[in-house]
Amino acid sequence: MAEGGPAAPGPSAGRGSRALGNRGVLVSSASTVLFFAMIAVVVALAPGSGVVAERFFDPSHLWQSLVGSEGLPSVLGAFWLNVQIFMFSEVFILILALVIAVVRGIPGPVFFPFRLVAVAYTDLFRGVPLILVLYMIGFGVPGLDLGFISYLPDVAYGVISLVLVYSAYVAEVYRAGIESVHESQNVAARSLGLTRWQSLRFVVLPQAIRRVIPPLLNDFIGLQKDTALVSVLGSIEAARAAQIYGASEFNYASYVVAALLFVLITIPLARFTDRLIARDKRRREAGALA
Amino acid sequence: MRERIILIGLLSAVLLLVGCGGPSAESGSSDSCDMDNPPLFEKDGLTVATDKPAYPPWFKGDPKNYSGYEGDVASEIAGRMDLPIKWTVEPFNKSYAPGAKDFDFDINQITITPEREQAVDFSNGYFDNAQGVLVMKDSPAASAKSVSDLKDLTIGAQVGTTGLDFVNETIKPTADPKVYDSTNDAKSALESGQIDAIVTDLVTTVYLRDFEIDGSAVVGQYPRNEQFGMLFEQGNPLVDCVNQALGEMKSDGTLEELEQKHLQQFLDVPTLEK
């Protein structure tokens, strides 16, 4: 039985205003304006909203904390340290995690101790909170006087801690990817004459990694936030710069600025992840029709 | 895409409106305080806060009944107001934040600054503070005699302290200072060679040198016209009663006695030249 009139367009599903048409855009804009205007009214009428506005959203403090001033670090400048930390860490994490995931899957009784170490590693570093790892490595290792490893800058210990902890999570993600590739792929590769390592490298891993790119990017986004914790070891990154400003000026707009910077850097990555997922889905569905 | 632009535009407009509009907070004025019936946080005693751990020579002994310089000053004030004293814990970093407090006053080597006075109230000063610089004896920093000698060092300080202000405003080191959540962390960093020097209040640096960090030295002190004050919630009328008691302690010599007893050994340090 046919519905009366043309079918109403569904939600935009990534194709935006072209799918909605002009009237749809007007309606969605009007609805959005009304929705946020109501929220703004409720917020503005709340008791203490004036104080909140002054303490968190004052435009001159927002600007001053962003660019810095005499004796106070700039949140934007300090944010560059966060960017460097996560860029650096991510490279090492992706490599170390892959090694752990592969080692964990090596068959054969003679490799049992290796598998054991891999399992113990992931259990240990997924279990210990990052801040404890930072304290133990950042204050403990320098105190041990072990040669060059005890004389690294504190940011290096921060990167080491992040790499140790995140590799444990990412190793499990890789492992899930590897196990999701059907064993028949491996069997077929072996029957064609490839060795176990060749099969892993040319057949299994490419498929496995492609499947887990969304959760990998998810962990990367988490990593970007956790770089803020490296400040306990002394270096001034964005969250610490915001804290210094807040402690000095008693205005917390600096925290809002730091939060916005973190969010702004996450959004392109999140949209990129969405697009990758959609593309991967299209590829797999196209394959099904063939 | 169009909706996204409209959305971002609207959100920014809302944020700006919220930021510019709204009534601003008024600071309360304190009424005077009646010594026989002071306004207390809890009626059955004087609730005094400090940080945990609380270090000598500021605080000594049982956390339910501290002695030490600040412990004795607070106990003496409670005694003069005829009240038992109740100790509670407040981390330093939280103490000078604006808002309601869970104590009558906080005594924790807190310097009176005009910025902090916008958020909280202070009693009159009970101690003149100087900044101290602590280094390890075997580092090149140990030979520093003036502020300019400190410029090339990696200096550590606690966030939100006047020590950090001293580093940023006066020393102005070439490398960024290292900023820690607590003096304890800065102390670990000094011991492990991560930083060349710690800046904190003079008495604490001397205490660390004599009792906590082997092989350390205090290269000098730098007076900054700073005074420690007891910290109250903004607008708390109790300040007047406490100031009255403190005034009596100053005029009858009690405060001087306490300083001699607890702090004298920690103040003999050369002054840094410019």
Side-chain angles (χ1 to χ4, degrees), chain B residues 186-209:
Chain B
K187 172 183 156 236
S188 304
L190 182 72
E191 287 176 300
S192 61
Q194 291 266 299
I195 52 178
D196 299 318
I198 302 182
V199 171
T200 184
D201 69 270
L202 174 64
V203 170
T204 301
T205 55
V206 178
Y207 179 78
L208 289 172
R209 176 197 72 193

PDB file of all heavy atoms in Angstrom, chain B residues 186-209:
ATOM      1  N   ALA B 186      58.791  18.190  43.007  1.00  0.00           N
ATOM      2  CA  ALA B 186      59.962  18.983  42.632  1.00  0.00           C
ATOM      3  C   ALA B 186      61.198  18.448  43.353  1.00  0.00           C
ATOM      4  O   ALA B 186      62.296  18.385  42.783  1.00  0.00           O
ATOM      5  CB  ALA B 186      59.739  20.451  42.989  1.00  0.00           C
ATOM      6  N   LYS B 187      61.013  18.043  44.595  1.00  0.00           N
ATOM      7  CA  LYS B 187      62.114  17.481  45.389  1.00  0.00           C
ATOM      8  C   LYS B 187      62.621  16.195  44.744  1.00  0.00           C
ATOM      9  O   LYS B 187      63.829  15.989  44.597  1.00  0.00           O
ATOM     10  CB  LYS B 187      61.599  17.233  46.806  1.00  0.00           C
ATOM     11  CG  LYS B 187      62.534  16.502  47.696  1.00  0.00           C
ATOM     12  CD  LYS B 187      61.861  16.251  49.043  1.00  0.00           C
ATOM     13  CE  LYS B 187      62.505  15.053  49.709  1.00  0.00           C
ATOM     14  NZ  LYS B 187      61.602  13.989  50.066  1.00  0.00           N
ATOM     15  N   SER B 188      61.707  15.309  44.302  1.00  0.00           N
ATOM     16  CA  SER B 188      62.130  14.083  43.606  1.00  0.00           C
ATOM     17  C   SER B 188      62.904  14.422  42.350  1.00  0.00           C
ATOM     18  O   SER B 188      63.905  13.782  42.022  1.00  0.00           O
ATOM     19  CB  SER B 188      60.921  13.241  43.207  1.00  0.00           C
ATOM     20  OG  SER B 188      60.136  12.944  44.305  1.00  0.00           O
ATOM     21  N   ALA B 189      62.448  15.435  41.639  1.00  0.00           N
ATOM     22  CA  ALA B 189      63.116  15.816  40.397  1.00  0.00           C
ATOM     23  C   ALA B 189      64.519  16.337  40.675  1.00  0.00           C
ATOM     24  O   ALA B 189      65.456  16.070  39.922  1.00  0.00           O
ATOM     25  CB  ALA B 189      62.288  16.866  39.654  1.00  0.00           C
ATOM     26  N   LEU B 190      64.675  17.088  41.770  1.00  0.00           N
ATOM     27  CA  LEU B 190      66.006  17.605  42.112  1.00  0.00           C
ATOM     28  C   LEU B 190      66.942  16.464  42.464  1.00  0.00           C
ATOM     29  O   LEU B 190      68.083  16.409  42.005  1.00  0.00           O
ATOM     30  CB  LEU B 190      65.909  18.579  43.290  1.00  0.00           C
ATOM     31  CG  LEU B 190      67.235  19.222  43.699  1.00  0.00           C
ATOM     32  CD1 LEU B 190      67.667  20.231  42.659  1.00  0.00           C
ATOM     33  CD2 LEU B 190      67.126  19.899  45.060  1.00  0.00           C
ATOM     34  N   GLU B 191      66.441  15.538  43.266  1.00  0.00           N
ATOM     35  CA  GLU B 191      67.273  14.414  43.695  1.00  0.00           C
ATOM     36  C   GLU B 191      67.692  13.546  42.529  1.00  0.00           C
ATOM     37  O   GLU B 191      68.776  12.984  42.519  1.00  0.00           O
ATOM     38  CB  GLU B 191      66.505  13.553  44.704  1.00  0.00           C
ATOM     39  CG  GLU B 191      66.373  14.194  46.056  1.00  0.00           C
ATOM     40  CD  GLU B 191      65.531  13.354  46.994  1.00  0.00           C
ATOM     41  OE1 GLU B 191      64.350  13.107  46.682  1.00  0.00           O
ATOM     42  OE2 GLU B 191      66.052  12.957  48.046  1.00  0.00           O
ATOM     43  N   SER B 192      66.825  13.419  41.533  1.00  0.00           N
ATOM     44  CA  SER B 192      67.180  12.546  40.418  1.00  0.00           C
ATOM     45  C   SER B 192      67.867  13.294  39.291  1.00  0.00           C
ATOM     46  O   SER B 192      68.135  12.747  38.246  1.00  0.00           O
ATOM     47  CB  SER B 192      65.930  11.847  39.894  1.00  0.00           C
ATOM     48  OG  SER B 192      65.010  12.796  39.444  1.00  0.00           O
ATOM     49  N   GLY B 193      68.156  14.571  39.504  1.00  0.00           N
ATOM     50  CA  GLY B 193      68.939  15.308  38.523  1.00  0.00           C
ATOM     51  C   GLY B 193      68.139  15.857  37.365  1.00  0.00           C
ATOM     52  O   GLY B 193      68.691  16.362  36.389  1.00  0.00           O
ATOM     53  N   GLN B 194      66.807  15.795  37.461  1.00  0.00           N
ATOM     54  CA  GLN B 194      65.989  16.315  36.371  1.00  0.00           C
ATOM     55  C   GLN B 194      66.026  17.845  36.335  1.00  0.00           C
ATOM     56  O   GLN B 194      65.865  18.456  35.280  1.00  0.00           O
ATOM     57  CB  GLN B 194      64.539  15.871  36.568  1.00  0.00           C
ATOM     58  CG  GLN B 194      64.348  14.397  36.362  1.00  0.00           C
ATOM     59  CD  GLN B 194      63.932  14.116  34.947  1.00  0.00           C
ATOM     60  OE1 GLN B 194      62.897  14.562  34.486  1.00  0.00           O
ATOM     61  NE2 GLN B 194      64.750  13.398  34.217  1.00  0.00           N
ATOM     62  N   ILE B 195      66.163  18.457  37.513  1.00  0.00           N
ATOM     63  CA  ILE B 195      66.254  19.922  37.558  1.00  0.00           C
ATOM     64  C   ILE B 195      67.500  20.305  38.355  1.00  0.00           C
ATOM     65  O   ILE B 195      68.030  19.496  39.114  1.00  0.00           O
ATOM     66  CB  ILE B 195      65.007  20.567  38.207  1.00  0.00           C
ATOM     67  CG1 ILE B 195      64.700  19.949  39.569  1.00  0.00           C
ATOM     68  CG2 ILE B 195      63.809  20.462  37.291  1.00  0.00           C
ATOM     69  CD1 ILE B 195      63.515  20.591  40.272  1.00  0.00           C
ATOM     70  N   ASP B 196      67.951  21.555  38.156  1.00  0.00           N
ATOM     71  CA  ASP B 196      69.152  22.016  38.849  1.00  0.00           C
ATOM     72  C   ASP B 196      68.826  22.685  40.165  1.00  0.00           C
ATOM     73  O   ASP B 196      69.658  22.737  41.060  1.00  0.00           O
ATOM     74  CB  ASP B 196      69.913  23.039  37.976  1.00  0.00           C
ATOM     75  CG  ASP B 196      70.357  22.431  36.662  1.00  0.00           C
ATOM     76  OD1 ASP B 196      70.823  21.271  36.693  1.00  0.00           O
ATOM     77  OD2 ASP B 196      70.231  23.101  35.632  1.00  0.00           O
ATOM     78  N   ALA B 197      67.614  23.227  40.296  1.00  0.00           N
ATOM     79  CA  ALA B 197      67.295  24.007  41.498  1.00  0.00           C
ATOM     80  C   ALA B 197      65.811  23.971  41.763  1.00  0.00           C
ATOM     81  O   ALA B 197      65.003  23.846  40.842  1.00  0.00           O
ATOM     82  CB  ALA B 197      67.735  25.460  41.314  1.00  0.00           C
ATOM     83  N   ILE B 198      65.450  24.064  43.060  1.00  0.00           N
ATOM     84  CA  ILE B 198      64.032  24.227  43.436  1.00  0.00           C
ATOM     85  C   ILE B 198      63.877  25.601  44.062  1.00  0.00           C
ATOM     86  O   ILE B 198      64.743  26.036  44.824  1.00  0.00           O
ATOM     87  CB  ILE B 198      63.613  23.240  44.542  1.00  0.00           C
ATOM     88  CG1 ILE B 198      63.820  21.812  44.156  1.00  0.00           C
ATOM     89  CG2 ILE B 198      62.153  23.427  44.877  1.00  0.00           C
ATOM     90  CD1 ILE B 198      63.346  20.902  45.282  1.00  0.00           C
ATOM     91  N   VAL B 199      62.786  26.272  43.755  1.00  0.00           N
ATOM     92  CA  VAL B 199      62.478  27.518  44.445  1.00  0.00           C
ATOM     93  C   VAL B 199      61.204  27.312  45.257  1.00  0.00           C
ATOM     94  O   VAL B 199      60.166  26.935  44.727  1.00  0.00           O
ATOM     95  CB  VAL B 199      62.281  28.669  43.440  1.00  0.00           C
ATOM     96  CG1 VAL B 199      61.750  29.896  44.145  1.00  0.00           C
ATOM     97  CG2 VAL B 199      63.591  28.986  42.747  1.00  0.00           C
ATOM     98  N   THR B 200      61.304  27.513  46.566  1.00  0.00           N
ATOM     99  CA  THR B 200      60.123  27.489  47.421  1.00  0.00           C
ATOM    100  C   THR B 200      60.438  28.387  48.627  1.00  0.00           C
ATOM    101  O   THR B 200      61.471  29.060  48.629  1.00  0.00           O
ATOM    102  CB  THR B 200      59.742  26.057  47.805  1.00  0.00           C
ATOM    103  OG1 THR B 200      58.538  26.090  48.567  1.00  0.00           O
ATOM    104  CG2 THR B 200      60.817  25.384  48.617  1.00  0.00           C
ATOM    105  N   ASP B 201      59.571  28.388  49.617  1.00  0.00           N
ATOM    106  CA  ASP B 201      59.828  29.341  50.700  1.00  0.00           C
ATOM    107  C   ASP B 201      61.119  28.974  51.447  1.00  0.00           C
ATOM    108  O   ASP B 201      61.475  27.809  51.562  1.00  0.00           O
ATOM    109  CB  ASP B 201      58.630  29.412  51.664  1.00  0.00           C
ATOM    110  CG  ASP B 201      58.456  28.155  52.450  1.00  0.00           C
ATOM    111  OD1 ASP B 201      57.737  27.260  51.972  1.00  0.00           O
ATOM    112  OD2 ASP B 201      59.060  28.046  53.535  1.00  0.00           O
ATOM    113  N   LEU B 202      61.801  30.013  51.970  1.00  0.00           N
ATOM    114  CA  LEU B 202      63.135  29.850  52.524  1.00  0.00           C
ATOM    115  C   LEU B 202      63.208  28.767  53.589  1.00  0.00           C
ATOM    116  O   LEU B 202      64.095  27.907  53.561  1.00  0.00           O
ATOM    117  CB  LEU B 202      63.592  31.190  53.125  1.00  0.00           C
ATOM    118  CG  LEU B 202      64.916  31.150  53.887  1.00  0.00           C
ATOM    119  CD1 LEU B 202      66.052  30.794  52.948  1.00  0.00           C
ATOM    120  CD2 LEU B 202      65.174  32.496  54.552  1.00  0.00           C
ATOM    121  N   VAL B 203      62.302  28.815  54.531  1.00  0.00           N
ATOM    122  CA  VAL B 203      62.344  27.861  55.652  1.00  0.00           C
ATOM    123  C   VAL B 203      62.266  26.428  55.141  1.00  0.00           C
ATOM    124  O   VAL B 203      62.999  25.547  55.598  1.00  0.00           O
ATOM    125  CB  VAL B 203      61.196  28.158  56.645  1.00  0.00           C
ATOM    126  CG1 VAL B 203      61.059  27.048  57.665  1.00  0.00           C
ATOM    127  CG2 VAL B 203      61.430  29.492  57.322  1.00  0.00           C
ATOM    128  N   THR B 204      61.390  26.184  54.172  1.00  0.00           N
ATOM    129  CA  THR B 204      61.264  24.827  53.632  1.00  0.00           C
ATOM    130  C   THR B 204      62.541  24.410  52.925  1.00  0.00           C
ATOM    131  O   THR B 204      62.979  23.258  53.047  1.00  0.00           O
ATOM    132  CB  THR B 204      60.061  24.735  52.675  1.00  0.00           C
ATOM    133  OG1 THR B 204      58.887  25.093  53.395  1.00  0.00           O
ATOM    134  CG2 THR B 204      59.904  23.345  52.116  1.00  0.00           C
ATOM    135  N   THR B 205      63.209  25.320  52.190  1.00  0.00           N
ATOM    136  CA  THR B 205      64.442  24.918  51.513  1.00  0.00           C
ATOM    137  C   THR B 205      65.501  24.532  52.536  1.00  0.00           C
ATOM    138  O   THR B 205      66.215  23.554  52.349  1.00  0.00           O
ATOM    139  CB  THR B 205      65.003  26.033  50.605  1.00  0.00           C
ATOM    140  OG1 THR B 205      65.172  27.231  51.372  1.00  0.00           O
ATOM    141  CG2 THR B 205      64.104  26.289  49.430  1.00  0.00           C
ATOM    142  N   VAL B 206      65.591  25.288  53.626  1.00  0.00           N
ATOM    143  CA  VAL B 206      66.602  24.960  54.631  1.00  0.00           C
ATOM    144  C   VAL B 206      66.252  23.642  55.315  1.00  0.00           C
ATOM    145  O   VAL B 206      67.125  22.808  55.581  1.00  0.00           O
ATOM    146  CB  VAL B 206      66.739  26.100  55.661  1.00  0.00           C
ATOM    147  CG1 VAL B 206      67.748  25.730  56.733  1.00  0.00           C
ATOM    148  CG2 VAL B 206      67.159  27.379  54.967  1.00  0.00           C
ATOM    149  N   TYR B 207      64.982  23.445  55.582  1.00  0.00           N
ATOM    150  CA  TYR B 207      64.571  22.174  56.185  1.00  0.00           C
ATOM    151  C   TYR B 207      64.920  21.002  55.276  1.00  0.00           C
ATOM    152  O   TYR B 207      65.443  19.978  55.726  1.00  0.00           O
ATOM    153  CB  TYR B 207      63.064  22.185  56.474  1.00  0.00           C
ATOM    154  CG  TYR B 207      62.619  20.891  57.067  1.00  0.00           C
ATOM    155  CD1 TYR B 207      62.834  20.605  58.409  1.00  0.00           C
ATOM    156  CD2 TYR B 207      62.032  19.897  56.263  1.00  0.00           C
ATOM    157  CE1 TYR B 207      62.469  19.387  58.952  1.00  0.00           C
ATOM    158  CE2 TYR B 207      61.665  18.677  56.796  1.00  0.00           C
ATOM    159  CZ  TYR B 207      61.884  18.430  58.137  1.00  0.00           C
ATOM    160  OH  TYR B 207      61.525  17.215  58.665  1.00  0.00           O
ATOM    161  N   LEU B 208      64.658  21.157  53.964  1.00  0.00           N
ATOM    162  CA  LEU B 208      64.994  20.084  53.021  1.00  0.00           C
ATOM    163  C   LEU B 208      66.507  19.829  53.026  1.00  0.00           C
ATOM    164  O   LEU B 208      66.958  18.694  52.986  1.00  0.00           O
ATOM    165  CB  LEU B 208      64.531  20.454  51.609  1.00  0.00           C
ATOM    166  CG  LEU B 208      63.016  20.438  51.369  1.00  0.00           C
ATOM    167  CD1 LEU B 208      62.692  21.014  49.998  1.00  0.00           C
ATOM    168  CD2 LEU B 208      62.455  19.038  51.469  1.00  0.00           C
ATOM    169  N   ARG B 209      67.267  20.931  53.079  1.00  0.00           N
ATOM    170  CA  ARG B 209      68.715  20.753  53.087  1.00  0.00           C
ATOM    171  C   ARG B 209      69.185  20.009  54.315  1.00  0.00           C
ATOM    172  O   ARG B 209      70.037  19.117  54.246  1.00  0.00           O
ATOM    173  CB  ARG B 209      69.391  22.121  53.040  1.00  0.00           C
ATOM    174  CG  ARG B 209      70.913  22.050  53.136  1.00  0.00           C
ATOM    175  CD  ARG B 209      71.521  23.387  53.502  1.00  0.00           C
ATOM    176  NE  ARG B 209      71.266  23.725  54.890  1.00  0.00           N
ATOM    177  CZ  ARG B 209      71.459  24.929  55.417  1.00  0.00           C
ATOM    178  NH1 ARG B 209      71.887  25.926  54.662  1.00  0.00           N
ATOM    179  NH2 ARG B 209      71.199  25.167  56.685  1.00  0.00           N
TER     180      ARG B 209
END
